[in-house]
Amino acid sequence: MAAAGSLERSFVELSGTERERPRHFREFTVCGVGTANALIGTVKYSESAGGFYYVESGKLFSVTRNRFIHWKTFGDTLELMEESLDINLLNNAVRLKFQNCSLLPAGVHISETQYHVIILMLTNQTVHRLLLPHPSRMYRSELVTESQMQSIFTDIGKVDFRDPCNYQLIPAVPGLSPNSTTSAAWLSNDGEALFALPSASGGIFVLKLPPYDIPGMVSVVELKQSSVMQRLLIGWMPTAIRGDQGSSDRPLSLAVHCVEHDAFIFALCQDHKLRMWSYKDQMCLMVADVLEYVPVNKDLRLIAGTGHKLRLAYSPSMGLYLGIYMHAPKRGQFCIFQLVSTENSRYSLDHISSLFTSQETLIDFALTSTDIWALWHDAENQTVVKYINFEHNVAGQWNPVFMQPLPEEEIIIRDDQDPREMYLQSLFTPGRFINAALCKALQIFCRRTERNLDLSWSELKKEVTLAVESELQGSVTEYEYSQEEFRNLQQEFWYKFYACCLQYQEALSHPLALHLNPHTNMMCLLKKGYLSFLVPSSLVDHLYLLPDENLLTEDETTISDDVDVARDVICLIKCLRLIGESVTMDMSVMMEMRCYNLQSPEKAAEQILEDLITIDVENVMEDICSKLQEIKNPIHAIGLLLREMDYETEVEMEKGFNPAQPLNIRINLSQLYGGSTAGYLVCRGVCKIASTRFLICRDLLILQQLLMRLGDAVILGAGQLFKAQQDLLHRTAPLLLSYYLIKWGSQCLATDVPVDTLESNLQHLAVLELTDSGALMANKFVSSPQTIVELFFQDVARKHIISHLFSQPKAPLSQTGLNWPEMTTAITNYLLQLLWPSNPGCLFLECLMGNCQYVQLQDYIQLLHPWCQVNVGSCRFMLGRCYLVTGEGQKALECFCQAASEVGKEEFLDRLIRSEDGEFVSTPRLQYYDKVLRLLDVVGLPELVIQLATSALTEAGDDWKSQATLRTCIFKHHLDLGHNSQAYETLTQIADSSRQLDCLRQLVVVLCERSQLQDLVEFPYVNLHNEVVGMIESRARAVDLMTHNYYELLYAFHIYRHNYRKAGTVMFEYGMRLGREIRTLWGLEKQGNCYLAAINCLRLICPEYAWIVQPASGAVYDRPGASPKRNHDGECTAAPTNQQIEILELEDLEKECSLARIRLTLAQHDPSAVAVAGSSSAEEMVTLLVQAGLFDTAISLCQTFKLPLTPVFEGLAFKCIKLQFGGEAAQAEAWPWLAANQLSLVITTKESSATDEAWRLLSTYLERYKVQNNLYHHCVINKLLSHGVPLPNWLINSYKKVDAAELLRLYLNYDLLEEAVDLVSEYVDAVLGKGHQYFGIEFPLSATAPVVWLPYSSIDQLLQALGENSANSHNIALSQKILDKLEDYQQKVDMATRDLLYRRNL
């Protein structure tokens, strides 16, 4: 069928606003004419409609591209709507109500100027002018980038309808002709608004409004001259002088053609004559008797004409054409004329063609320079539209337009089907009922006129269900119904509502007018309730749908250049039509159900054929067989038909606009046919084609089964049956299934998706790096529910198709015009290619996936899978994504694994695995696994990640890097799931040491955080022991001891492996850090326990090995790789030099343990000391203990570390001094620390004060801890004397016994001369034997006793000190006292000496 694309013979009607909400009209009232003419204003006219196209609506780069206005009038109301196929217009519908007036049929005329769109309106009493801004002046730039724009009606609320400049009463003289229904209006070059109306006296009168921006007077001109000759003979005279000519020349139809400075008014009058007037010259230029072109006109001349219509069509190249419809009872005739001008401004008509029709009621017709489009309403209340080329159609054969049929009157419901579901499916299946019909039916059914029915499609479905079920429940009077009775009752009520919807659907489908745009050749059908468009049908559909009478006269050259082939095809089509007419509804439903249930269509066709043969009463099969015998080569004819219906192509469409094109051109093209109306139309066209082709393929399958039944000898000739069976039959079945799938998608509604689901989906697509795909765009500005095919077209396919259409233009784009039939045919064909299941690309599936249409995508793939072997891997991958969303993870994993085998063979999977730089990483299949693993990870399915990664290991082979990557992935998710043993086992199998260490580090951290320490300790760590220890040590030294305790873990780790020295080292280091960093009571307790643990560890070792290395502090703990430390100048500090290693033995650890216990004791006694006790040395701790009053503890510490007790005695002496001079508060504060020391029990009868107890404690210590040289007495006395405190007698007496001479020196040091004199005196007496026991002198002075001595140096110092102040009599007395004592002493010493010498000489 080579000529199939070059000649389109028929058109198909497609509804354009089927599922939209009822339009929200903004209502405005236009000023009335008062009450005087109210009665006249009640005149009722029939409904009418019309349209206006912008002059530049066919230009590719115009703001008004594909934009038009249509209107409807009924009674006093005018509804105006602006439409665009490229963008969605806002505020585009208004309703004007004219008070006390009725709009004339077709009484709306729209014109455009450079700045305005001007609407001229005529009622039976007034004329009006409405100025609106032109679209080119509403936007800042001619470059339209938005998907929504404001209509020209947006600011209509600012219009003053009472402005006298823009409306005028029709004057009573000459007055409007009664029952007149025609009018004309136009704009002059000067901006004047002119209205032509039939006058009451016959003829025409023209009312002129001055330009809107120039003040002026309203004028009225009456055109009464009926012929040129009368004008020449009589001249122009007023009506009063000339007299009335009657109403025979009253216009039935008016039309205006504007020329430079004039306007030609054409009037088709009741006397069957056409009159042409010049408004400028106010004279009749031509009168033509149209009956001269009517074959049988005698009867017509005797009666006044009714129903005649006049249309004009102007072509710059061909001039002005006039189309006249002459109405006669039961027949009609179109006469086409061309206006011819001669010299002296004389005009005549050149008859072009006469076309006859038998249709009765002509609603409207449209004229172009080549065609007539006519709209009828026949006796059966059916709409009929036909068109014909009036120049080249010699046979006068009209081309049909296949109208959209009304929904079926009855719905067949099987016993296994729910009536409610079946009726809802029929009511709300796209392409059946319009929203307005359902709303009106619901309003009537509910019997509520005030009900708000501004409902969306889904809301309306809920309301309908609720209304019918409520009526059903209200009618139930019995308590019990059988299932069959209730089913019948349910079916009755649903049928009642369905019949109501059907009635309103039929009423709203009543045609009102045709609207033809000559610039784009777009034909619209204006109906009472909605707008529909006429689009060309392909040759195959054309032949299949064509009526028999047209098929007989079909031009065979349009089918094939070979006449025999063309005749075979026509004969084949006739056979298919006979089969199609014989197929019952049950058979048709059976075929569709077989396709839906994935059963063989060939077997279904065979069964249908058997049923047809069984019920063949009218011998249809014989007729088919006889026609088959007329086909010379049925194999070739069927193959030709199949090739014509097959959209399979190997060439993939370009993606995106050509970047070489300028940005403004690309943006402009991206808006082309971007409106929701255009998208719906294209997809309805696809659905119509798919539905028709499905029937053709079904009938073709049945026919092929018949051919096989008849056998090759009868029809096909020898040897051709095998070819028919193996080739054609198996080509037809996939074709039928393909069209069924496209039809299903065209009727399957898309679902609304929550925002959170969209965001989650975008996250998943980002992981797959598919977010930049052209198939993944947000769905915007949808006013009605979309089918998934509409969603695909608007979001993805339209951009691809438009860019492909204009990628290599034949002419510059600026000169390119838009031709509606050509564009819709091309776009529909390309969309079918993109939807065709066996084509390589899978943009449709991507679109569904990107828009979260998972249920629809799943159903589509299920319908596609058994028979289509193209894009199998892509389908399995996307099905896997659907299963992920629905929570069926195991099924998803199976799909992903099945898709892996197709990697590298399909475009989508290749794009999926391609990295950002366009190169493949590793092998393609491994890259695919990587993407899927990342997706499963984001979704949160670690079990599936493990399974898939394990499967992928076999694909990795010897690629150790890929294996390491996969095993790392397996390890991670085992660890996430808590499979610690499996995670460790996987860890040991990782060949990459770097990855292995990373995983090991992660294992340590995670198990620590989960407190699963037993697993961590007990793993064998073959060849990884040192690494684990290093990691735990590093973390132990790096983290805060209060958050994670890695030291205890490390201790357990070493204990488990019997490495006690390491365990002891760890605990000792832990204790050290606790003292430095954790300045709390808990820290001190923990520190003591750590040292105890370390001691126990060393005690488990042989004594010769019971030692550890002193853990270092400071810089040694810095982690490897840490940033270098810097000083204040920013310079890196020098690394610490290696310090000498210090060995700690068991005894050292015991000392540290003792120190730790003492720290704890101090902290428990004095919480304020916690902050400093932790890291204090033994010497520092002594000081702290003394300050706290823990003298026993301090002495114990000193003894442990072999420290002198001097600080203890000095501290205690100082506390005694403070108590001695302190008040009651000091006494009360002293009791706690006194109680903390072990005092010797003393039985006393009087109460003891804190001071007494302190002195007693000091006395006890001095007695208990005696040292050489009596150091402690000395330091105590020195402390007391330094603070000026008198020495207690017990202390003096005590010191006398041990070192009286040192006491004397202390007295001298502190200038206690009198005490020193007394001490010397007593000491001399003691030496001489008086009280010698108080000074510790065992044997006083005697010849037989040991030698005694006196501290002469100190005594000399005392005498010198006393003699320094000779004026002080007291000092002289004291000095003399000493001298006397010394003299006495000298005497006795002399005696004893002599005695001793004497004894020696004996």
Side-chain angles (χ1 to χ4, degrees):
M1 298 187 185
S6 60
L7 182 62
E8 305 292 350
R9 298 301 308 276
S10 60
F11 280 71
V12 179
E13 179 196 13
L14 300 175
S15 170
T17 56
E18 169 178 295
R19 293 197 312 275
E20 286 186 359
R21 295 174 184 236
R23 288 185 183 272
H24 178 65
F25 286 93
R26 293 178 296 151
E27 295 192 5
F28 302 92
T29 301
V30 181
C31 58
V33 296
T35 58
N37 296 326
L39 186 60
I40 304 176
T42 59
V43 177
K44 297 296 182 182
Y45 297 103
S46 61
E47 288 183 287
S48 65
F52 164 76
Y53 50 83
Y54 292 95
V55 174
E56 295 187 347
S57 59
K59 292 185 177 180
L60 190 60
F61 298 116
S62 170
V63 175
T64 56
R65 179 186 65 193
N66 289 325
R67 194 161 167 171
F68 60 95
I69 300 171
H70 62 98
W71 49 265
K72 182 178 72 171
T73 66
F74 51 95
D76 63 348
T77 303
L78 167 63
E79 292 181 349
L80 290 161
M81 290 146 284
E82 186 180 20
E83 304 279 359
S84 173
L85 300 180
D86 294 346
I87 51 177
N88 297 320
L89 296 176
L90 303 175
N91 302 308
N92 63 329
V94 295
R95 181 180 289 128
L96 304 181
K97 286 187 173 292
F98 294 81
Q99 292 181 344
N100 304 321
C101 299
S102 295
L103 282 146
L104 294 179
V108 179
H109 307 270
I110 305 177
S111 303
E112 66 175 313
T113 64
Q114 185 177 0
Y115 298 100
H116 294 95
V117 173
I118 301 173
I119 303 177
L120 305 177
M121 299 162 288
L122 300 96
T123 71
N124 60 337
Q125 299 187 56
T126 55
V127 295
H128 300 262
R129 173 172 56 193
L130 176 61
L131 272 77
L132 298 171
H134 195 277
S136 61
R137 301 295 166 180
M138 291 182 65
Y139 315 115
R140 296 179 179 179
S141 169
E142 291 186 358
L143 190 62
V144 178
T145 58
E146 296 85 0
S147 296
Q148 293 188 119
M149 296 185 69
Q150 296 293 340
S151 166
I152 62 170
F153 298 127
T154 297
D155 295 329
I156 196 172
K158 300 178 182 178
V159 174
D160 183 9
F161 292 104
R162 297 182 179 273
D163 186 356
C165 296
N166 290 320
Y167 85 97
Q168 181 63 38
L169 292 172
I170 296 176
V173 179
L176 180 64
S177 173
N179 301 321
S180 175
T181 59
T182 187
S183 63
W186 70 97
L187 290 178
S188 68
N189 290 339
D190 299 328
E192 301 164 329
L194 298 114
F195 303 86
L197 293 159
S199 65
S201 58
I204 305 169
F205 75 92
V206 180
L207 188 149
K208 180 177 71 175
L209 294 180
Y212 68 92
D213 53 353
I214 301 176
M217 297 294 294
V218 177
S219 62
V220 178
V221 174
E222 186 179 10
L223 307 179
K224 284 286 293 181
Q225 198 65 25
S226 59
S227 69
V228 178
M229 292 304 299
Q230 191 171 358
R231 170 71 178 86
L232 295 174
L233 295 174
I234 302 176
W236 184 256
M237 293 184 296
T239 304
I241 301 175
R242 190 172 64 252
D244 189 10
Q245 296 174 305
S247 60
S248 62
D249 59 349
R250 181 176 299 154
L252 296 175
S253 183
L254 292 174
V256 177
H257 176 65
C258 294
V259 292
E260 291 182 1
H261 298 289
D262 197 359
F264 294 153
I265 305 174
F266 295 90
L268 183 58
C269 303
Q270 284 184 337
D271 57 1
H272 315 291
K273 293 182 180 179
L274 177 67
R275 293 174 172 82
M276 173 182 168
W277 295 84
S278 168
Y279 173 73
K280 177 182 177 182
D281 298 332
Q282 299 182 2
M283 61 180 295
C284 182
L285 302 180
M286 180 191 69
V287 177
D289 187 358
V290 184
L291 288 180
E292 293 180 1
Y293 304 96
V294 178
V296 182
N297 57 25
K298 291 183 179 180
D299 296 337
L300 293 178
R301 290 186 182 277
L302 301 177
I303 59 174
T306 58
H308 298 341
K309 297 184 184 297
L310 171 65
R311 300 288 184 268
L312 304 180
Y314 177 73
S315 169
S317 59
M318 302 301 294
L320 183 66
Y321 286 89
L322 290 83
I324 297 174
Y325 174 72
M326 299 298 292
H327 173 71
K330 297 184 180 181
R331 60 192 176 94
Q333 177 181 341
F334 290 94
C335 297
I336 311 301
F337 300 96
Q338 186 174 15
L339 185 65
V340 180
S341 62
T342 60
E343 298 179 0
N344 301 323
S345 298
R346 294 182 180 274
Y347 293 88
S348 63
L349 296 178
D350 182 11
H351 180 252
I352 303 298
S353 177
S354 290
L355 303 168
F356 302 93
T357 175
S358 60
Q359 305 290 338
E360 291 188 2
T361 306
L362 180 73
I363 304 298
D364 191 17
F365 80 96
L367 180 69
T368 71
S369 58
T370 57
D371 300 320
I372 292 179
W373 290 79
L375 168 65
W376 288 276
H377 214 222
D378 63 12
E380 298 178 355
N381 205 28
Q382 298 294 319
T383 300
V384 179
V385 178
K386 295 183 178 181
Y387 78 98
I388 191 172
N389 186 299
F390 55 74
E391 287 187 337
H392 304 295
N393 197 316
V394 180
Q397 185 69 48
W398 289 77
N399 297 305
V401 174
F402 304 118
M403 306 304 296
Q404 182 172 329
L406 290 173
E408 59 273 12
E409 294 185 1
E410 293 186 2
I411 298 176
I412 299 176
I413 302 176
R414 300 194 307 269
D415 293 338
D416 60 335
Q417 293 176 328
D418 181 18
R420 178 177 65 180
E421 294 299 325
M422 295 306 298
Y423 274 102
L424 284 174
Q425 179 181 346
S426 181
L427 288 169
F428 291 93
T429 296
R432 291 181 181 268
F433 289 89
I434 64 172
N435 193 306
L438 296 175
C439 288
K440 286 183 176 293
L442 179 61
Q443 196 170 1
I444 295 299
F445 198 78
C446 295
R447 295 182 290 276
R448 285 186 243 166
T449 56
E450 76 281 358
R451 188 177 178 83
N452 178 22
L453 293 179
D454 184 17
L455 303 174
S456 67
W457 196 245
S458 57
E459 293 170 345
L460 183 59
K461 187 174 183 179
K462 293 178 183 178
E463 288 290 329
V464 167
T465 305
L466 182 62
V468 178
E469 293 297 323
S470 298
E471 289 289 325
L472 174 62
Q473 297 296 331
S475 67
V476 173
T477 57
E478 301 291 337
Y479 288 103
E480 293 185 3
Y481 277 91
S482 67
Q483 186 173 358
E484 184 178 355
E485 288 174 338
F486 183 78
R487 176 186 172 86
N488 293 336
L489 193 63
Q490 188 182 25
Q491 193 162 347
E492 176 186 343
F493 274 88
W494 276 104
Y495 176 74
K496 180 181 177 182
F497 180 78
Y498 182 81
C500 189
C501 294
L502 203 61
Q503 181 181 354
Y504 278 106
Q505 178 78 8
E506 183 176 1
L508 293 173
S509 299
H510 182 78
L512 298 178
L514 290 170
H515 172 50
L516 173 65
N517 185 343
H519 302 297
T520 61
N521 293 323
M522 182 178 73
M523 176 60 72
C524 299
L525 183 57
L526 306 176
K527 296 188 175 184
K528 184 175 181 178
Y530 58 94
L531 173 72
S532 63
F533 295 78
L534 306 183
V535 298
S537 59
S538 66
L539 183 57
V540 175
D541 300 355
H542 164 77
L543 293 175
Y544 185 76
L545 299 174
L546 204 61
D548 291 336
E549 62 272 13
N550 294 72
L551 193 59
L552 292 173
T553 59
E554 183 67 24
D555 186 1
E556 296 171 346
T557 59
T558 63
I559 300 174
S560 174
D561 296 333
D562 189 334
V563 177
D564 292 335
V565 173
R567 290 174 180 172
D568 284 353
V569 171
I570 291 177
C571 195
L572 178 64
I573 292 293
K574 290 179 180 178
C575 295
L576 296 178
R577 290 172 53 163
L578 285 174
I579 293 175
E581 292 168 359
S582 303
V583 172
T584 64
M585 180 64 70
D586 290 338
M587 298 176 186
S588 179
V589 170
M590 183 190 71
M591 177 61 82
E592 293 195 18
M593 291 304 297
R594 292 288 180 89
C595 295
Y596 184 78
N597 294 325
L598 309 178
Q599 298 173 349
S600 170
E602 296 98 324
K603 293 182 179 179
E606 185 178 359
Q607 183 177 343
I608 292 174
L609 177 62
E610 292 178 358
D611 294 342
L612 288 175
I613 295 174
T614 303
I615 64 173
D616 186 15
V617 180
E618 301 178 357
N619 298 323
V620 176
M621 290 296 119
E622 292 184 7
D623 295 341
I624 295 174
C625 292
S626 62
K627 290 186 180 297
L628 281 175
Q629 293 178 355
E630 299 176 9
I631 303 176
K632 296 181 179 180
N633 192 341
I635 298 298
H636 185 266
I638 294 174
L640 187 64
L641 200 61
L642 292 177
R643 285 195 301 273
E644 190 63 29
M645 292 190 294
D646 195 351
Y647 284 91
E648 184 173 346
T649 176
E650 297 297 330
V651 180
E652 204 169 348
M653 199 176 297
E654 296 91 345
K655 296 182 179 180
F657 292 98
N658 184 3
Q661 292 176 334
L663 178 63
N664 62 332
I665 293 179
R666 279 182 280 156
I667 294 178
N668 201 297
L669 290 176
S670 68
Q671 303 293 326
L672 185 59
Y673 298 118
S676 58
T677 300
Y680 176 70
L681 283 174
V682 171
C683 297
R684 290 308 305 158
V686 166
C687 183
K688 182 67 176 177
I689 292 174
S691 301
T692 304
R693 301 280 177 87
F694 176 78
L695 298 178
I696 296 174
C697 293
R698 179 200 66 188
D699 299 342
L700 198 55
L701 270 180
I702 298 172
L703 183 66
Q704 292 178 49
Q705 293 290 349
L706 178 62
L707 289 174
M708 292 173 60
R709 182 182 289 263
L710 293 175
D712 57 348
V714 179
I715 302 295
L716 301 174
Q720 293 190 358
L721 178 61
F722 180 77
K723 182 178 181 181
Q725 182 178 5
Q726 297 299 322
D727 182 23
L728 297 181
L729 195 64
H730 296 302
R731 285 173 56 194
T732 308
L735 212 60
L736 175 133
L737 292 170
S738 297
Y739 280 116
Y740 175 78
L741 197 57
I742 295 174
K743 174 186 173 184
W744 176 86
S746 301
Q747 295 178 338
C748 178
L749 291 178
T751 53
D752 294 330
V753 182
V755 176
D756 56 345
T757 304
L758 283 173
E759 292 177 351
S760 174
N761 183 56
L762 285 176
Q763 182 183 6
H764 298 168
L765 294 175
V767 171
L768 298 174
E769 298 179 8
L770 289 175
T771 50
D772 59 345
S773 171
L776 308 170
M777 296 173 59
N779 186 19
K780 312 181 190 72
F781 312 122
V782 178
S783 59
S784 59
Q786 294 177 304
T787 64
I788 56 176
V789 172
E790 288 175 58
L791 180 68
F792 172 61
F793 176 77
Q794 292 184 351
D795 282 3
V796 181
R798 180 183 59 84
K799 182 180 72 173
H800 290 271
I801 293 170
I802 298 300
S803 64
H804 180 74
L805 286 174
F806 294 97
S807 59
Q808 295 178 346
K810 298 178 181 178
L813 291 178
S814 58
Q815 302 175 12
T816 302
L818 297 175
N819 184 283
W820 170 253
E822 293 178 1
M823 289 296 294
T824 54
T825 300
I827 291 174
T828 302
N829 287 336
Y830 283 127
L831 180 57
L832 279 167
Q833 285 184 22
L834 292 174
L835 292 171
W836 199 250
S838 57
N839 280 341
C842 53
L843 285 177
F844 181 51
L845 300 177
E846 283 189 75
C847 176
L848 296 182
M849 181 177 68
N851 285 278
C852 305
Q853 303 298 315
Y854 300 115
V855 176
Q856 295 86 338
L857 177 59
Q858 193 170 341
D859 291 344
Y860 182 90
I861 295 175
Q862 296 290 1
L863 290 173
L864 182 69
H865 172 63
W867 56 272
C868 182
Q869 300 305 314
V870 180
N871 295 322
V872 175
S874 302
C875 289
R876 302 315 293 172
F877 176 83
M878 295 183 192
L879 186 60
R881 279 224 56 213
C882 295
Y883 284 137
L884 279 185
V885 174
T886 56
E888 300 175 272
Q890 204 60 43
K891 290 184 179 180
L893 182 62
E894 293 177 7
C895 291
F896 290 142
C897 292
Q898 292 168 1
S901 61
E902 302 300 320
V903 172
K905 303 176 184 178
E906 299 177 11
E907 183 273 338
F908 170 76
L909 294 179
D910 290 345
R911 182 155 42 85
L912 178 69
I913 65 176
R914 193 172 297 126
S915 60
E916 295 181 358
D917 56 1
E919 297 180 357
F920 288 109
V921 179
S922 187
T923 65
R925 194 170 295 185
L926 285 176
Q927 184 67 9
Y928 166 79
Y929 280 124
D930 177 64
K931 284 289 182 69
V932 178
L933 288 171
R934 288 162 59 189
L935 174 63
L936 294 175
D937 189 15
V938 170
V939 175
L941 297 171
E943 299 95 339
L944 301 186
V945 174
I946 294 170
Q947 293 180 42
L948 185 62
T950 305
S951 301
L953 283 173
T954 59
E955 183 68 30
D958 297 332
D959 186 352
W960 64 274
K961 289 186 177 180
S962 298
Q963 279 200 355
T965 302
L966 292 171
R967 293 191 189 279
T968 302
C969 180
I970 296 172
F971 162 80
K972 173 184 178 297
H973 289 88
H974 270 313
L975 190 60
D976 291 342
L977 290 170
H979 303 162
N980 300 339
S981 298
Q982 293 90 329
Y984 171 76
E985 183 180 352
T986 306
L987 167 70
T988 59
Q989 297 172 357
I990 298 176
D992 187 344
S993 59
S994 175
R995 285 181 179 272
Q996 188 179 45
L997 289 178
D998 291 340
C999 293
L1000 181 62
R1001 188 175 296 108
Q1002 188 176 3
L1003 177 69
V1004 171
V1005 173
V1006 171
L1007 292 185
C1008 288
E1009 291 176 348
R1010 293 177 184 167
S1011 299
Q1012 296 175 334
L1013 304 181
Q1014 184 173 355
D1015 288 346
L1016 182 59
V1017 169
E1018 292 179 355
F1019 287 142
Y1021 301 109
V1022 179
N1023 299 324
L1024 293 173
H1025 181 273
N1026 293 335
E1027 287 78 359
V1028 174
V1029 172
M1031 289 175 186
I1032 301 177
E1033 285 182 349
S1034 176
R1035 294 197 65 82
R1037 293 165 180 169
V1039 301
D1040 185 3
L1041 295 178
M1042 296 295 290
T1043 56
H1044 295 284
N1045 193 344
Y1046 288 99
Y1047 282 103
E1048 291 184 353
L1049 168 64
L1050 200 55
Y1051 171 76
F1053 186 88
H1054 290 308
I1055 290 293
Y1056 183 76
R1057 287 159 179 77
H1058 306 291
N1059 192 343
Y1060 299 116
R1061 181 191 294 170
K1062 282 282 189 180
T1065 304
V1066 168
M1067 295 311 288
F1068 187 77
E1069 181 180 326
Y1070 183 26
M1072 290 177 59
R1073 284 194 61 194
L1074 285 170
R1076 285 196 306 267
E1077 301 175 19
I1078 310 300
R1079 305 296 177 90
T1080 64
L1081 189 62
W1082 173 87
L1084 293 175
E1085 290 178 354
K1086 194 71 176 175
Q1087 185 184 42
N1089 294 334
C1090 290
Y1091 289 154
L1092 283 174
I1095 291 171
N1096 290 336
C1097 289
L1098 292 186
R1099 284 177 176 168
L1100 292 173
I1101 308 174
C1102 296
E1104 59 268 25
Y1105 299 109
W1107 54 268
I1108 63 174
V1109 176
Q1110 167 75 46
S1113 60
V1116 179
Y1117 285 161
D1118 292 343
R1119 287 168 290 172
S1123 62
K1125 305 304 177 184
R1126 289 175 166 81
N1127 56 22
H1128 295 291
D1129 298 328
E1131 300 296 331
C1132 293
T1133 57
T1137 58
N1138 292 332
Q1139 299 178 354
Q1140 187 176 3
I1141 295 176
E1142 184 178 353
I1143 301 298
L1144 298 179
E1145 296 182 347
L1146 185 58
E1147 182 181 355
D1148 300 321
L1149 264 64
E1150 290 173 344
K1151 287 183 179 180
E1152 288 296 330
C1153 183
S1154 175
L1155 180 59
R1157 287 199 302 270
I1158 290 173
R1159 288 170 181 155
L1160 179 60
T1161 302
L1162 174 62
Q1164 291 172 341
H1165 177 76
D1166 184 10
S1168 63
V1170 172
V1172 294
S1175 59
S1176 299
S1177 63
E1179 293 81 358
E1180 294 169 337
M1181 277 302 301
V1182 170
T1183 304
L1184 293 174
L1185 290 169
V1186 169
Q1187 289 176 356
L1190 302 178
F1191 298 102
D1192 284 350
T1193 308
I1195 292 172
S1196 173
L1197 180 63
C1198 291
Q1199 291 173 341
T1200 301
F1201 284 87
K1202 297 180 173 54
L1203 299 176
L1205 299 180
T1206 306
V1208 179
F1209 284 96
E1210 287 182 349
L1212 181 55
F1214 181 70
K1215 283 189 175 290
C1216 291
I1217 295 170
K1218 289 178 65 178
L1219 289 172
Q1220 185 80 29
F1221 298 100
E1224 294 183 359
Q1227 296 283 327
E1229 291 176 359
W1231 284 112
W1233 64 262
L1234 285 171
N1237 297 282
Q1238 294 182 359
L1239 293 173
S1240 59
L1241 296 177
V1242 178
I1243 301 174
T1244 178
T1245 56
K1246 72 169 187 176
E1247 286 191 8
S1248 169
S1249 66
T1251 306
D1252 297 337
E1253 291 298 320
W1255 286 114
R1256 190 162 68 86
L1257 181 63
L1258 180 59
S1259 173
T1260 303
Y1261 285 163
L1262 288 173
E1263 291 179 3
R1264 186 181 302 167
Y1265 304 108
K1266 296 179 180 179
V1267 292
Q1268 190 176 4
N1269 299 327
N1270 301 299
L1271 177 64
Y1272 303 142
H1273 283 80
H1274 179 274
C1275 71
V1276 169
I1277 294 173
N1278 187 52
K1279 191 72 171 178
L1280 295 174
L1281 294 179
S1282 65
H1283 285 80
V1285 178
L1287 298 180
N1289 291 332
W1290 63 267
L1291 182 58
I1292 296 172
N1293 295 333
S1294 174
Y1295 204 24
K1296 282 181 190 179
K1297 287 183 178 182
V1298 294
D1299 197 350
E1302 182 62 27
L1303 179 60
L1304 176 60
R1305 285 191 287 271
L1306 288 173
Y1307 280 156
L1308 292 175
N1309 289 342
Y1310 291 97
D1311 291 335
L1312 299 176
L1313 302 180
E1314 187 172 353
E1315 287 81 355
V1317 171
D1318 293 338
L1319 178 61
V1320 170
S1321 177
E1322 291 177 1
Y1323 189 65
V1324 172
D1325 290 340
V1327 171
L1328 295 178
K1330 183 182 179 180
H1332 62 88
Q1333 67 274 14
Y1334 296 114
F1335 283 85
I1337 300 173
E1338 186 177 356
F1339 301 102
L1341 179 66
S1342 82
T1344 59
V1347 179
V1348 296
W1349 60 274
L1350 284 178
Y1352 287 107
S1353 298
S1354 298
I1355 294 173
D1356 290 341
Q1357 291 177 7
L1358 175 61
L1359 291 173
Q1360 184 181 358
L1362 291 172
E1364 288 177 355
N1365 190 359
S1366 58
N1368 189 335
S1369 60
H1370 182 65
N1371 287 354
I1372 295 173
L1374 292 176
S1375 178
Q1376 187 61 42
K1377 181 179 180 181
I1378 293 174
L1379 290 174
D1380 294 343
K1381 279 288 182 184
L1382 288 176
E1383 184 179 354
D1384 183 40
Y1385 173 75
Q1386 292 294 336
Q1387 292 176 359
K1388 291 183 178 182
V1389 168
D1390 183 56
M1391 291 176 63
T1393 302
R1394 289 192 184 105
D1395 190 17
L1396 177 62
L1397 293 174
Y1398 174 76
R1399 288 178 180 276
R1400 286 181 177 177
N1401 294 326
L1402 288 177

